Amino acid sequence: MNYKFQRAGDTVDLVGESPFWDDRGFLYWVDIVGRAVRRLDATTGQVETRPTDDFPTAIALYADRSAAILSKGLEIGRYTFEDGGFVPLAAVEEGRGPMRLNEGKCDPAGRFWVATMDQNLNPDATPRSMQGARGHLFFVSKAGLGGPFDKELHIPNTMAWSPSGDVFYLGDTMKNVLWAYDYDRDEGVVTNRRVFAEGGPGLPDGSGIDAEGYLWNARFSGSCLIRFAPDGRVDRTIALPVTNPTACTFGGQDLRTLYVTSGTFGLEKPGPLDGVLLSAQVDVRGARENYYAG
């Protein structure tokens, strides 16, 4: 399937991640290695950027739009984009040595799910050799921190829920696998992990869900997205003008604008669009973002 992708905004990310569409007309995302949070005004095309003091990895808005919930380093906290303020809500993996958070998304009940990994970045943002699959899965809610629910995650990516809310998707980039779990929305519990999809072009990174329950997965180093059917079948492969797409989501008033983040980190000779935020009009309506209940 060929869509016409274009550059959205004028920024270039080292590792863009976690695009979150706000139905007021803004797209938020983070540049992990660049230590920045960004916000695109979809009406004007202007991007505002706020620096962070640690590696930001995931962002979602509170349901009342008063602030965002942001993961950075090993902390999850309430974040206000206007002034860059951060109030810690929870910390994870204390005493386990060099680690950091990576993927994060809100579930249909408004919990903010996060996953950890062995630290692969030095303080100066140069690559660090990982010590293995040491990550865990957690969530943060008004009641506090829940988990861990899974273990031995290497580089956790892709968090998404089926439209019915009873299936949770999680991937591991290094293991080149996407898993599906049974999901208990009331209790916030994941069980019955099984392989949803594995192998294919590139490696699995972040994903978005459309209104039909299909998973759109960014394929790091594969220059494409794959749209997976609910049974794990490959429905279509979408070519992209970047080497390392990192995540995607749907936005616009009709949720038919597909946004894709990307990165330049690790590329010897980045192409003209590597690291930019891409957008395209698509023929499938997306699912709305889940907001943090607070």
Side-chain angles (χ1 to χ4, degrees):
M1 181 66 66
N2 292 319
Y3 298 122
K4 186 178 180 180
F5 284 93
Q6 61 184 10
R7 184 171 188 161
D10 59 359
T11 54
V12 176
D13 296 320
L14 289 170
V15 179
E17 276 283 5
S18 190
F20 184 96
W21 174 255
D22 172 12
D23 55 19
R24 295 174 299 179
F26 298 98
L27 185 86
Y28 291 81
W29 78 101
V30 302
D31 180 351
I32 297 177
V33 180
R35 292 190 180 97
V37 179
R38 305 194 196 277
R39 181 174 69 184
L40 168 75
D41 184 326
T43 301
T44 66
Q46 297 299 306
V47 177
E48 295 179 84
T49 298
R50 301 286 184 269
T52 59
D53 61 359
D54 206 337
F55 301 116
T57 63
I59 190 168
L61 291 192
Y62 276 66
D64 63 5
R65 317 307 199 265
S66 62
I69 186 164
L70 179 74
S71 58
K72 66 182 180 74
L74 287 171
E75 290 185 311
I76 304 101
R78 181 183 174 92
Y79 174 79
T80 49
F81 183 82
E82 285 67 26
D83 61 5
F86 182 83
V87 178
L89 298 175
V92 296
E93 305 288 22
E94 293 179 328
R96 292 199 65 218
M99 297 190 74
R100 70 170 176 87
L101 289 156
N102 197 45
E103 186 77 324
K105 283 267 190 176
C106 288
D107 72 7
R111 305 175 188 89
F112 186 59
W113 285 78
V114 291
T116 57
M117 58 181 280
D118 192 78
Q119 178 63 273
N120 66 340
L121 297 168
N122 291 310
D124 64 356
T126 55
R128 174 185 180 272
S129 295
M130 296 181 68
Q131 305 304 305
R134 303 176 60 227
H136 295 97
L137 184 64
F138 301 87
F139 72 70
V140 177
S141 70
K142 186 182 298 185
L145 185 68
F149 294 94
D150 212 337
K151 60 181 180 179
E152 296 180 356
L153 299 175
H154 204 137
I155 299 182
N157 266 305
T158 290
M159 288 187 186
W161 286 262
S162 63
S164 61
D166 59 359
V167 178
F168 170 61
Y169 300 98
L170 176 70
D172 193 313
T173 300
M174 294 298 289
K175 296 177 182 179
N176 202 354
V177 64
L178 294 167
W179 296 298
Y181 300 70
D182 293 337
Y183 190 70
D184 185 327
R185 172 175 174 159
D186 292 336
E187 299 297 327
V189 175
V190 293
T191 55
N192 187 28
R193 188 176 89 175
R194 63 269 189 192
V195 172
F196 175 70
E198 59 184 338
L203 299 168
D205 209 316
S207 295
I209 283 277
D210 67 29
E212 298 173 6
Y214 285 61
L215 184 80
W216 297 59
N217 179 237
R219 307 300 293 188
F220 190 86
S221 80
S223 299
C224 66
L225 302 174
I226 297 178
R227 185 186 190 231
F228 290 100
D231 61 3
R233 172 179 50 86
V234 174
D235 171 75
R236 67 185 73 167
T237 300
I238 300 119
L240 296 171
V242 295
T243 302
N244 292 334
T246 53
C248 61
T249 196
F250 295 88
Q253 289 187 345
D254 58 0
L255 293 176
R256 291 180 184 270
T257 302
L258 178 65
Y259 288 100
V260 182
T261 53
S262 66
T264 62
F265 190 69
L267 295 177
E268 291 186 7
K269 295 181 179 180
L273 292 178
D274 283 319
V276 310
L277 175 69
L278 298 171
S279 69
Q281 297 303 301
V282 295
D283 57 340
V284 180
R285 189 174 185 272
R288 293 189 178 279
E289 296 283 1
N290 295 319
Y291 288 76
Y292 181 59

